[in-house]
């Protein structure tokens, strides 16, 4: 029997993948398609895509786009976070090695520690670069989290902005196909 989108029990999928309580609560009663279309949190979307084994390069591109939201918080003249993002993006195109990405990520981490006001922005860039070698979803979640630069409404706004970015990079069709594979296990 073929599994269709309508056969995917989102609650069961989230439980099996050990999604956070907040995400499970938000998605309750929604179909996968509704959840993907309406999700207000790019970090949740990247988490799901990573757990469903979406192509790592697709996830890294999305994580980098989210991390770019943090660049306005980087002090003028501090280029290490941008270089880290660019290295990860180059890796997705086959134009950089994983060693290049690691070196750029290390530099971005150094920038994060060197400038406490830019720590969040620099760590977002480093996390996006690290996504090329580590679990992409974890790095992307950190990038989305730090992109806000502030709590409250600004944070919710950045999560929502990241959600739109993720939808641009990871189509519902990719998610549905991966969820069908997971449900068939």
């Amino acid at each position: 029997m073929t599994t269709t989108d309508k056969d995917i029990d989102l609650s069961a999928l989230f439980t099996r993948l050990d999604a956070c309580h907040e995400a499970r609560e938000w998605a309750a009663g929604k179909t996968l398609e509704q959840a993907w279309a309406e999700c207000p949190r790019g970090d949740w979307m990247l988490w799901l895509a990573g757990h469903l084994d979406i192509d790592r390069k697709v996830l890294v591109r999305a994580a980098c786009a989210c991390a770019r939201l943090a660049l306005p918080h980087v002090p003028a003249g501090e280029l290490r976070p941008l270089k880290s993002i660019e290295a990860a993006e180059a890796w997705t195109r086959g134009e950089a090695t994983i060693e290049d990405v690691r070196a750029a990520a290390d530099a971005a981490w150094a920038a994060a520690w060197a400038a406490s006001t830019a720590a969040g922005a620099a760590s977002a860039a480093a996390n996006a670069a690290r996504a090329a070698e580590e679990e992409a979803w974890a790095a992307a979640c950190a990038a989305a989290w730090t992109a806000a630069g502030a709590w409250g409404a600004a944070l919710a706004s950045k999560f929502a902005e990241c959600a739109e970015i993720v939808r641009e990079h990871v189509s519902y069709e990719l998610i549905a196909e991966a969820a069908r594979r997971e449900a068939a296990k």
Side-chain angles (χ1 to χ4, degrees):
M1 181 169 111
T2 304
T3 303
T4 67
D5 297 0
K6 306 252 186 295
D7 297 326
I8 297 169
D9 180 342
L10 189 57
S11 178
L13 178 65
F14 276 18
T15 298
R16 186 169 55 251
L17 297 176
D18 200 25
C20 70
H21 175 74
E22 189 180 0
R24 287 184 205 183
E25 195 172 88
W26 177 85
K30 292 178 175 61
T31 65
L32 178 62
E33 187 171 16
Q34 286 173 313
W36 194 254
E38 299 170 9
C39 186
R41 301 267 312 250
D43 59 329
W44 289 352
M45 297 169 76
L46 286 166
W47 178 90
L48 178 60
H51 275 76
L52 291 176
D53 294 325
I54 299 298
D55 180 356
R56 171 111 5 139
K57 290 184 178 185
V58 171
L59 294 179
V60 171
R61 282 190 290 273
C64 288
C66 289
R68 282 181 173 278
L69 297 176
L71 291 176
H73 303 286
V74 175
E78 175 55 77
L79 299 178
R80 291 175 289 186
L82 174 61
K83 296 294 182 192
S84 180
I85 293 168
E86 289 174 341
E89 290 169 337
W91 175 81
T92 69
R93 297 185 304 268
E95 299 168 1
T97 66
I98 199 63
E99 290 77 21
D100 296 333
V101 174
R102 285 183 188 133
D106 289 344
W109 279 115
W113 289 110
S116 62
T117 58
S123 66
N127 279 330
R130 285 282 186 219
E133 67 175 284
E134 299 175 355
E135 294 293 331
W137 61 268
C141 288
W145 180 266
T146 56
W151 298 97
L155 183 61
S157 170
K158 289 301 175 188
F159 278 140
E161 202 170 340
C162 285
E164 290 304 318
I165 289 168
V166 173
R167 279 187 276 273
E168 290 172 14
H169 288 271
V170 184
S171 69
Y172 169 72
E173 289 74 22
L174 279 177
I175 289 297
E177 178 183 327
R180 285 191 294 273
R181 284 193 309 268
E182 181 66 30
K185 287 182 182 177

